Amino acid sequence: NQDVEGVRTDTRVCNLSYLQTDWYIDQMRRPAYTSPSVPIKWNRLDYISGTNEAIQVRPNLKQQVLDMYKENPEEARKQFGEDPFELKNILKYWVRAKDSQFHVIPTDTLYMTIDKAAVRRSGMMMPTDSIPDRMVISLAGKEELFKNDIMMLEMIANCNWTRPLYVAITVGSENFMNLGDNFIQEGLLNRITPFNTRKGGSFDTEKTYNLVMNKFRWGGVATKGIYLDETVMRMCYTHRREMAQLAMNLILEGKKDKALKVLEKAEKVLPTYNLPLSFSYVKGGPIIADAYYMLGKKAKAEAMYNEMWKTSAQYIRYYLNLSERLFNISMSSCAMHLQILYQYIDANKQNNPRWAEAHNAEFMGMLKAYEARGGKMQ
């Protein structure tokens, strides 16, 4: 989009997998389009191929460092900085140390002093009333950090919140650098913040609503008969799920009118005739149905659950009619769909007990048939 259509040339897209290579870091350190370089300040010799490829995390050394600051504070500060576990000091005095014996991270908890004025200017959502003095970055469970991890820390250390840093929601959690507790979701992105968002809000409904309703461009997904390949369809389901989550968060905030507009928008731009309702919560269908229940649209929600139930029930009947050999191969898939139907019943017990009771009888019949063929529910 940036190359062909000139979309958001002021932003910088960074591929975390490539960020472990020197040539890609070189690119990131140069301006591109109308965006400045990313805040990586290392000399090239510090990240050239073969250098700082991986740094061990050694929390067992933490007490030794603390003892050094207690016994020889002046010498310790001269060698490792005022605070030995401050992120910038770790990167400067340990990760990039000239002496190879210091090429470790002597703690599994890093800290970064927060410029509170910069945070207030940043425009990020404030999940709590107060801004913390320090950001805590946990490395718990990590035995080493690779170059791309270290580059992420370098960018966080130097951004000073004046330039937003985001991680796409489609990125696997293994690439989060344990920063999941610092994320605030804005649209399809998780914004890295200095807050522990587990203690406050982690979803910016205002920004996400504006993006979904006013800024996202939907192309021709609503064109009847258009073919959506697997990759495009997967992204469409991602958008549907995020719109469902936005609606849910708006409902929790008491903004039901906005929530209904989001759901109606989802139906319009991601219609079920091209993007069928999926039984999977990951693809948003059940979340949307539950949102309709919460908005008092019982008939709408029930119709959606009927459609999703029909899909899983068809799968189960198909599996139950397979030969013994093929059924044994498909047993886990059959069990998955039975579990999904059970979740639907459970979800409707409060919102629509009549529906739950009626479908429970059908569920029990399929469950008995499954168990009669040797199937077991986990």
Side-chain angles (χ1 to χ4, degrees):
N1 273 358
Q2 288 181 318
D3 277 329
V4 178
E5 299 181 18
V7 175
R8 291 304 305 268
T9 56
D10 59 321
T11 64
R12 196 64 178 272
V13 179
C14 182
N15 186 310
L16 296 178
S17 297
Y18 291 166
L19 201 57
Q20 58 191 319
T21 63
D22 52 7
W23 60 268
Y24 191 72
I25 297 172
D26 287 342
Q27 288 186 12
M28 292 296 104
R29 293 182 66 204
R30 293 194 292 266
Y33 309 108
T34 60
S35 70
S37 61
V38 300
I40 295 175
K41 298 183 178 181
W42 287 25
N43 293 321
R44 194 173 194 278
L45 290 177
D46 289 329
Y47 64 79
I48 196 169
S49 181
T51 304
N52 288 321
E53 297 293 342
I55 303 295
Q56 286 187 326
V57 178
R58 298 278 303 279
N60 59 304
L61 298 177
K62 184 174 183 177
Q63 190 57 50
Q64 295 181 37
V65 175
L66 291 173
D67 291 342
M68 183 186 300
Y69 272 75
K70 184 178 180 180
E71 296 168 5
N72 299 293
E74 290 187 13
E75 180 63 27
R77 291 189 183 94
K78 182 179 179 181
Q79 190 169 2
F80 300 119
E82 191 68 29
D83 183 344
F85 308 124
E86 175 79 18
L87 177 56
K88 285 188 176 181
N89 289 336
I90 288 289
L91 294 172
K92 180 179 179 180
Y93 296 112
W94 292 88
V95 174
R96 289 187 289 159
K98 294 181 180 179
D99 191 335
S100 60
Q101 69 172 319
F102 295 122
H103 281 184
V104 297
I105 297 177
T107 178
D108 59 2
T109 306
L110 307 177
Y111 302 98
M112 192 172 82
T113 303
I114 302 303
D115 182 342
K116 296 185 180 183
V119 172
R120 293 189 186 95
R121 291 193 301 267
S122 70
M124 70 175 67
M125 187 186 85
M126 301 288 180
T128 60
D129 294 332
S130 60
I131 300 172
D133 295 321
R134 297 196 300 178
M135 177 182 180
V136 180
I137 301 174
S138 172
L139 303 181
K142 292 185 175 293
E143 296 182 356
E144 60 184 356
L145 299 185
F146 296 100
K147 187 177 290 182
N148 53 345
D149 301 322
I150 298 167
M151 290 299 111
M152 278 188 68
L153 292 177
E154 169 73 1
M155 287 188 277
I156 292 171
N158 294 319
C159 74
N160 198 30
W161 316 111
T162 57
R163 187 177 178 188
L165 290 177
Y166 295 96
V167 179
I169 62 169
T170 52
V171 170
S173 59
E174 68 275 7
N175 294 307
F176 285 179
M177 273 294 297
N178 288 357
L179 292 169
D181 288 350
N182 300 96
F183 286 165
I184 291 179
Q185 186 172 334
E186 299 177 9
L188 298 177
L189 300 172
N190 287 313
R191 185 172 187 166
I192 300 173
T193 78
F195 299 95
N196 184 332
T197 54
R198 298 293 182 190
K199 299 178 181 179
S202 60
F203 198 107
D204 191 330
T205 55
E206 184 177 342
K207 284 191 176 73
T208 304
Y209 182 85
N210 183 45
L211 288 168
V212 166
M213 301 301 290
N214 302 315
K215 294 190 175 182
F216 281 4
R217 294 191 296 179
W218 302 95
V221 179
T223 304
K224 286 190 176 182
I226 194 170
Y227 171 71
L228 303 178
D229 67 21
E230 181 182 354
T231 301
V232 173
M233 184 169 286
R234 185 167 60 247
M235 282 306 301
C236 287
Y237 277 123
T238 297
H239 281 74
R240 178 181 281 170
R241 182 190 69 222
E242 296 314 309
M243 294 177 82
Q245 290 179 340
L246 170 60
M248 275 295 193
N249 278 279
L250 287 168
I251 291 170
L252 293 175
E253 293 178 2
K255 302 172 183 176
K256 292 188 176 182
D257 290 344
K258 282 189 171 182
L260 183 58
K261 288 180 181 179
V262 170
L263 296 179
E264 290 172 344
K265 178 89 170 185
E267 283 193 70
K268 180 181 178 181
V269 298
L270 300 170
T272 55
Y273 54 75
N274 282 339
L275 195 69
L277 279 176
S278 173
F279 51 79
S280 170
Y281 279 83
V282 175
K283 295 181 179 179
I287 305 175
I288 291 178
D290 290 342
Y292 273 122
Y293 271 136
M294 296 172 74
L295 292 171
K297 306 290 184 179
K298 185 176 180 179
K300 185 78 173 178
E302 183 173 321
M304 294 183 70
Y305 267 113
N306 284 338
E307 186 66 27
M308 293 183 291
W309 179 281
K310 179 181 176 182
T311 301
S312 280
Q314 286 177 337
Y315 273 109
I316 293 168
R317 293 190 185 97
Y318 167 76
Y319 293 134
L320 291 175
N321 281 286
L322 291 174
S323 66
E324 183 176 356
R325 181 180 68 84
L326 292 177
F327 175 76
N328 290 335
I329 295 172
S330 307
M331 194 178 293
S332 60
S333 296
C334 188
M336 178 193 73
H337 282 282
L338 284 166
Q339 184 64 38
I340 287 169
L341 295 190
Y342 179 79
Q343 290 174 352
Y344 290 170
I345 293 170
D346 192 55
N348 278 272
K349 282 180 179 177
Q350 182 175 353
N351 294 317
N352 196 345
R354 176 191 56 79
W355 188 96
E357 184 178 353
H359 285 76
N360 187 60
E362 182 182 352
F363 168 77
M364 292 305 298
M366 288 186 285
L367 178 60
K368 288 179 180 178
Y370 172 74
E371 292 176 339
R373 297 203 61 179
K376 294 182 180 180
M377 296 293 288
Q378 295 182 351

